[in-house]
Amino acid sequence: MALPSSLEELIEALRCLPGVGPKSAQRMAYHLLQYNPRGATRLSQAISRAVETLRRCQRCNNFTEAEVCERCVSSRRDATQLCIVEMPVDLNAMEQTHAYNGLYYVLMGRLSPLDGIGPRELAFDRLLARVGDGVVKEVILATNFTNEGEATAHYLYEMLHARGLKVSRIARGVPVGGEIEYTDAATVAQALIERREY
Amino acid sequence: MALPSSLEELIEALRCLPGVGPKSAQRMAYHLLQYNPRGATRLSQAISRAVETLRRCQRCNNFTEAEVCERCVSSRRDATQLCIVEMPVDLNAMEQTHAYNGLYYVLMGRLSPLDGIGPRELAFDRLLARVGDGVVKEVILATNFTNEGEATAHYLYEMLHARGLKVSRIARGVPVGGEIEYTDAATVAQALIERREY
Ligand SMILES: [Zn+2]
Ligand SMILES: [Zn+2]
């Protein structure tokens, strides 16, 4: 006496969300159906629209609906500074400090040899093309202070320094082993101000 | 410099899931877009299909794609016993014990006066019509042993006993204050076997 197939499929499909196991997928499915079918329909549409319309900015690699995102074309930002972050959430955290007015590049990951993620998987060639635009003078490395983030920063420093760029690293105001996304804005601001030349 | 609107909307829409706050909605959105756009599309379709096809079984009130669900039309089940549970997950937990072969009625909630949920909101008139089919001989109350579940069982006992039905309550093998959904099958089976006449 199985569950109706569309319910079974909904529970299974919900498991593609991070941190959602079988039990919570089941709870989510029943909750949506019973209490919030409108919210469910809205979610269905939001997902399909997002998947269809969002792509990577050709300059900063962040998600955008345009070829090049709003920030990258803004004349108000200092195009001589380029801050490299691992993920869009890190970019958002940096912006919330209001302590930085340059541009960004989002790696969409970090080097992780054990998971098979190397310079090729992170498309470092695209990053190199970006920093070689003749306008960028300083690259600020704002990867996390985890082991993988530090290794990524070190690799990027070697790669970019070899090309004659000034490379700095945000200060370790961020707790060792901590992640930028979860650090309060004041601490991230301090870390940005106290960045040291790599 | 806001997020792209389709991304903003996806994050907002994900918050209709139970237990999902702003931070985890953001993580889920980026996770879907970056690592699992196929899973996202599948989820979008599963939600819309479930919302469209699932309705309430006319006999047991559980979710089904048919007028009357598979269990309610099965000739293998003992139609003289009717077990009343709060939610579909409770029904699933009861089934997993393999200790019961009767039919069910799913309240889709429990009495909760503070939340404005009374006999009318739970459509007890539908339940009364169901138990009055002339076939049901015993009603087994399997609401949770929380305060609200107990109050619901008490109310149902009064209502059903007054109509001359035999009403029993599953034994308190389920820990006091506990919820059936989270109780192991053996304990629920024991509680079912040791049900006492109300
Ligand atoms: Zn951009
Ligand atoms: Zn049914």
Side-chain angles (χ1 to χ4, degrees):
Chain A
M1 211 69 69
L3 295 179
S5 71
S6 58
L7 180 56
E8 194 93 75
E9 164 64 9
L10 174 58
I11 292 168
E12 196 50 41
L14 280 163
R15 296 194 54 193
C16 77
L17 296 171
V20 175
K23 270 273 179 189
S24 60
Q26 200 183 42
R27 288 187 78 80
M28 284 177 168
Y30 283 121
H31 178 94
L32 285 180
L33 290 168
Q34 191 183 359
Y35 300 109
N36 205 350
R38 275 193 202 179
T41 299
R42 178 185 172 189
L43 176 57
S44 167
Q45 289 164 352
I47 293 170
S48 78
R49 182 170 157 235
V51 168
E52 278 160 26
T53 65
L54 290 170
R55 46 180 157 167
R56 301 297 177 76
C57 170
Q58 297 210 328
R59 300 204 82 207
C60 72
N61 202 35
N62 198 2
F63 292 109
T64 176
E65 289 165 357
E67 282 275 300
V68 176
C69 80
E70 222 185 321
R71 188 175 290 109
C72 285
V73 296
S74 168
S75 59
R76 291 193 188 166
R77 309 289 303 210
D78 178 357
T80 66
Q81 292 188 314
L82 189 77
C83 177
I84 301 182
V85 294
E86 295 180 18
M87 301 295 289
V89 284
D90 300 322
L91 185 157
N92 299 346
M94 297 296 285
E95 283 293 280
Q96 275 157 30
T97 69
H98 300 290
Y100 178 68
N101 194 40
L103 296 176
Y104 292 92
Y105 188 87
V106 183
L107 296 174
M108 293 291 180
R110 75 283 310 159
L111 293 178
S112 180
L114 292 178
D115 301 315
I117 298 170
R120 182 201 298 252
E121 284 68 31
L122 294 180
F124 278 2
D125 48 342
R126 285 193 58 201
L127 170 60
L128 278 177
R130 172 68 188 88
V131 298
D133 70 349
V135 178
V136 173
K137 289 197 182 122
E138 179 186 3
V139 175
I140 301 167
L141 301 177
T143 54
N144 288 314
F145 283 97
T146 55
N147 286 342
E148 291 177 346
E150 288 276 45
T152 306
H154 183 75
Y155 189 102
L156 289 173
Y157 164 71
E158 298 282 359
M159 183 175 87
L160 300 170
H161 182 73
R163 274 158 184 84
L165 283 155
K166 182 181 169 193
V167 183
S168 59
R169 176 86 166 110
I170 58 168
R172 198 184 292 242
V174 179
V176 175
E179 303 193 314
I180 291 169
E181 181 185 354
Y182 296 110
T183 308
D184 64 281
T187 308
V188 178
Q190 197 58 32
L192 197 57
I193 290 158
E194 293 187 7
R195 66 184 184 270
R196 60 183 169 73
E197 201 155 327
Y198 212 141
Chain B
M1 211 68 72
L3 296 179
S5 70
S6 57
L7 180 55
E8 195 91 74
E9 164 65 8
L10 174 58
I11 293 168
E12 196 50 41
L14 281 164
R15 295 192 55 194
C16 76
L17 296 171
V20 174
K23 270 273 178 186
S24 60
Q26 199 182 45
R27 289 186 77 80
M28 284 177 168
Y30 283 121
H31 179 94
L32 286 180
L33 291 168
Q34 191 184 358
Y35 299 111
N36 206 349
R38 275 194 202 179
T41 299
R42 177 185 172 188
L43 176 56
S44 167
Q45 290 165 351
I47 293 170
S48 78
R49 183 171 156 235
V51 169
E52 278 161 26
T53 64
L54 290 171
R55 46 178 157 168
R56 301 296 177 78
C57 171
Q58 297 209 329
R59 301 204 81 208
C60 71
N61 203 35
N62 199 3
F63 292 109
T64 175
E65 289 165 359
E67 283 275 302
V68 175
C69 79
E70 219 185 322
R71 189 175 292 108
C72 287
V73 297
S74 169
S75 59
R76 290 192 188 168
R77 310 288 303 211
D78 178 358
T80 66
Q81 292 189 313
L82 188 77
C83 178
I84 301 183
V85 294
E86 296 181 18
M87 302 294 290
V89 284
D90 300 322
L91 185 158
N92 298 346
M94 298 295 287
E95 284 293 281
Q96 275 156 31
T97 69
H98 300 292
Y100 179 68
N101 193 41
L103 296 176
Y104 292 93
Y105 188 87
V106 183
L107 296 174
M108 293 291 180
R110 74 283 309 160
L111 293 179
S112 180
L114 293 177
D115 300 317
I117 299 169
R120 184 200 297 253
E121 285 67 32
L122 294 180
F124 278 3
D125 49 340
R126 284 192 60 202
L127 170 59
L128 278 178
R130 174 67 188 88
V131 297
D133 70 347
V135 178
V136 173
K137 290 198 183 120
E138 179 186 5
V139 175
I140 300 167
L141 301 177
T143 54
N144 288 314
F145 284 96
T146 56
N147 287 341
E148 291 177 344
E150 288 276 45
T152 305
H154 183 74
Y155 189 101
L156 289 173
Y157 165 68
E158 298 282 359
M159 183 175 88
L160 299 170
H161 182 71
R163 275 159 182 83
L165 283 155
K166 181 179 170 194
V167 182
S168 59
R169 177 87 167 109
I170 58 168
R172 198 186 293 243
V174 179
V176 176
E179 304 192 316
I180 292 170
E181 182 184 354
Y182 296 109
T183 307
D184 64 280
T187 307
V188 177
Q190 197 59 33
L192 197 57
I193 290 158
E194 293 186 8
R195 66 182 183 271
R196 59 184 168 75
E197 202 155 328
Y198 211 140

